[in-house]
Amino acid sequence: MVDRVIQQAITQVLSPIYERQFSENSFGFRPNRGAHDALKQGQTNVNDGYVYVVDMDLEKFFDTVCQSKLVEVLSRTIKDGRVISLIHRYLNAGVISRGMYEETEVGMPQGGPLSPLLSNIMLNENEGGTYQQS
């Protein structure tokens, strides 16, 4: 429970900072945005003469995130090493699978308050902010 509270606190502080960097055409896991907003934007794009609207779900995305790359990207904006260290420890916390502890050197846990923000930070880095997620 304490971990979730800390993750939520980190998310609340970092979200306004990173939201300014994200594309207006990004809708997944964003505050005050969702699938209906993505559909409205898609309809607007069609009305403006665009021929294609792309919707995608990145299979196994959370399981394949390069943690060192994510920490590098975060370090460009977050200058407090304590915050970076907390996030890194969260990423490396490991998982219990079939009753056994497994280290997590790749990927990020799903379901925590911080994971959606971290995923958008990584996707924004990889795509230069030009993706639309719903």
Side-chain angles (χ1 to χ4, degrees), residues 20-66:
R20 292 185 294 238
Q21 299 176 20
F22 296 156
S23 169
E24 286 297 314
N25 291 311
S26 162
F27 295 93
F29 302 118
R30 301 273 307 277
N32 304 312
R33 293 170 166 256
H36 288 102
D37 299 307
L39 289 170
K40 287 179 193 173
Q41 184 62 47
Q43 185 62 55
T44 299
N45 291 349
V46 168
N47 292 342
D48 289 346
Y50 289 91
V51 179
Y52 301 102
V53 174
V54 178
D55 175 35
M56 68 177 71
D57 181 13
L58 302 174
E59 185 177 1
K60 305 280 187 191
F61 172 75
F62 284 89
D63 297 336
T64 60
V65 169
C66 177

Side-chain angles (χ1 to χ4, degrees), residues 112-131:
L114 189 54
S115 296
L117 176 61
L118 294 178
S119 70
N120 275 323
I121 291 168
M122 195 64 169
L123 287 168
N124 193 64
E125 174 69 14
N126 288 334
E127 297 299 327
T130 59
Y131 72 101

Side-chain angles (χ1 to χ4, degrees), residues 63-124:
D63 297 336
T64 60
V65 169
C66 177
Q67 292 178 6
S68 60
K69 176 67 175 174
L70 176 56
V71 169
E72 174 194 322
V73 171
L74 292 169
S75 296
R76 291 186 209 145
T77 301
I78 304 167
K79 300 306 177 193
D80 188 333
R82 297 169 299 179
V83 175
I84 296 293
S85 178
L86 269 174
I87 294 171
H88 199 200
R89 283 191 279 167
Y90 160 64
L91 293 171
N92 285 319
V95 296
I96 303 292
S97 178
R98 298 183 184 122
M100 301 291 294
Y101 172 78
E102 295 179 12
E103 290 186 13
T104 50
E105 296 175 6
V106 175
M108 75 173 106
Q110 293 185 54
L114 189 54
S115 296
L117 176 61
L118 294 178
S119 70
N120 275 323
I121 291 168
M122 195 64 169
L123 287 168
N124 193 64

